[in-house]
Amino acid sequence: MKPTLFVLAAGMGSRYGGLKQLDGLGPHGETIMDYSIYDAIHAGFGKIVFVIRKDFEQDFREKILSKYEGHIPVEVVFQSITDLPEGYTCPEDRTKPWGTNHAVLMGKNAIKEPFAVINADDFYGRNAFEVIAKELSRPRDRKGDYCMVGFRVGNTMTENGSVARGVCSTKEGNLASVVERTAISYDKDGRIVFTDENGVEQTLDPTTPVSMNLWGFTPDYFDYSEREFRRFLDRDLNTPKSEFFIPLAIDTLIKSGEATVKVLDTDSKWFGVTYAADRPGVVEKFAQLHADGTYPEKLF
């Protein structure tokens, strides 16, 4: 059974502005998603599912989905802040989406096979898709047998500001914890640093694994997620900016012993448009990847 790629494309890029997901960055107007889909097809994925907001469905179908016809089956599901489990009602003043793991829950009825989760506006690189497709394609004999691609933090930086990364610690090849660090940057000496919760500057080795939201799950994850989402809502339903993130659910499942998450290494270099100033560099990188033959003149 070929795995499915689940693309989280419902968000707005507040720091960059506009719908980053629809921004043409390649030589022929390719979006970052186009490269992810191309790499996923070549890595052995058999279906793509997108989660988007209903209000830009028409643009999305016209500008994005039409180009994949004949290449791979595609489905669309929608994320809405009002889509909550039975017994819960969205507060009237809520405007913020419920977070990445709420977006994942929207795929429950569309995905019946092992699946990988990615952000729509991140470039992950071909090797990252290859290693997670291989891992998702192996037989499993238990629930909670998950994985993630651990990018080397040195391969995920931008020169134009700080980045937020889930810094991972591992034990025997499995994820032990993910700590979200919201302001990782280069210092004047070129070291990768962040300030911890005690106000102390810490240095990260460039090979330290970080989460770039490239996760691998089996369908049982939906049931665990729904349970944890209910617990989240019991605590934070009326907290206006609370969000139900994937690492939050994963951390709970690891600590309870219900899941293990194998950390897969990759030499792929992430890039994306975190800031508007990143855009010219990303355009240049895509042009070079076409010029050196990594990608054909036209992807689709």
Side-chain angles (χ1 to χ4, degrees):
M1 180 182 295
K2 290 185 175 182
T4 285
L5 184 67
F6 192 18
V7 184
L8 308 186
M12 289 281 287
S14 59
R15 286 174 294 184
Y16 175 49
L19 291 176
K20 290 194 290 184
Q21 294 88 349
L22 303 185
D23 193 6
L25 299 169
H28 298 281
E30 296 90 350
T31 68
I32 288 180
M33 280 191 296
D34 291 337
Y35 292 95
S36 292
I37 304 309
Y38 181 90
D39 286 339
I41 291 171
H42 286 263
F45 285 84
K47 182 175 73 175
I48 311 295
V49 177
F50 293 94
V51 57
I52 66 172
R53 292 198 325 274
K54 186 69 175 178
D55 62 311
F56 72 95
E57 179 185 8
Q58 182 175 348
D59 263 1
F60 196 85
R61 290 189 181 278
E62 290 176 357
K63 296 179 180 179
I64 300 294
L65 299 192
S66 60
K67 69 184 75 175
Y68 306 139
E69 291 178 0
H71 295 282
I72 192 169
V74 174
E75 293 185 42
V76 174
V77 297
F78 302 100
Q79 183 183 20
S80 168
I81 61 173
T82 60
D83 198 340
L84 300 179
E86 186 176 353
Y88 298 88
T89 302
C90 183
E92 290 185 7
D93 60 348
R94 177 85 187 193
T95 58
K96 193 173 186 65
W98 292 105
T100 52
N101 212 56
H102 178 254
V104 170
L105 274 172
M106 301 302 100
K108 182 175 183 178
N109 295 325
I111 299 174
K112 306 300 179 185
E113 53 282 315
F115 64 101
V117 176
I118 66 167
N119 295 330
D121 50 7
D122 288 314
F123 176 81
Y124 292 97
R126 184 166 303 167
N127 180 254
F129 287 102
E130 290 171 347
V131 297
I132 200 165
K134 181 179 179 180
E135 176 65 17
L136 289 173
S137 298
R138 69 169 174 79
R140 282 166 166 75
D141 58 7
R142 63 177 175 87
K143 294 181 178 180
D145 188 354
Y146 308 143
C147 61
M148 63 162 285
V149 176
F151 281 75
R152 303 166 192 172
V153 67
N155 286 341
T156 74
M157 301 295 291
T158 174
E159 301 285 349
N160 296 307
S162 63
V163 296
R165 299 286 180 258
V167 178
C168 302
S169 61
T170 62
K171 183 179 181 181
E172 298 176 351
N174 290 327
L175 185 65
S177 67
V178 180
V179 178
E180 189 71 15
R181 301 298 183 186
T182 57
I184 301 174
S185 61
Y186 291 113
D187 69 6
K188 59 182 177 58
D189 298 316
R191 298 178 303 171
I192 299 172
V193 298
F194 68 91
T195 301
D196 67 17
E197 53 276 8
N198 298 314
V200 178
E201 185 175 87
Q202 303 286 351
T203 302
L204 286 174
D205 186 283
T207 63
T208 302
V210 295
S211 168
M212 297 303 298
N213 226 31
L214 179 43
W215 300 91
F217 299 120
T218 47
D220 56 89
Y221 183 70
F222 293 119
D223 294 330
Y224 287 132
S225 289
E226 187 164 342
R227 182 193 73 191
E228 294 307 315
F229 188 44
R230 288 177 177 274
R231 292 174 177 174
F232 167 85
L233 292 173
D234 289 340
R235 296 188 308 268
D236 293 313
L237 176 65
N238 294 304
T239 305
K241 293 186 177 182
S242 59
E243 292 185 74
F244 183 47
F245 295 116
I246 295 171
L248 180 66
I250 286 295
D251 186 60
T252 300
L253 295 177
I254 290 173
K255 288 178 178 176
S256 69
E258 294 171 285
T260 57
V261 180
K262 185 177 180 181
V263 179
L264 309 172
D265 182 42
T266 181
D267 59 9
S268 285
K269 294 184 178 181
W270 169 94
F271 56 83
V273 184
T274 304
Y275 302 95
D278 291 330
R279 191 182 189 281
V282 170
V283 170
E284 184 178 340
K285 287 175 183 175
F286 280 133
Q288 182 58 43
L289 288 170
H290 283 270
D292 67 16
T294 301
Y295 294 106
E297 182 181 357
K298 291 190 176 182
L299 298 181
F300 298 102

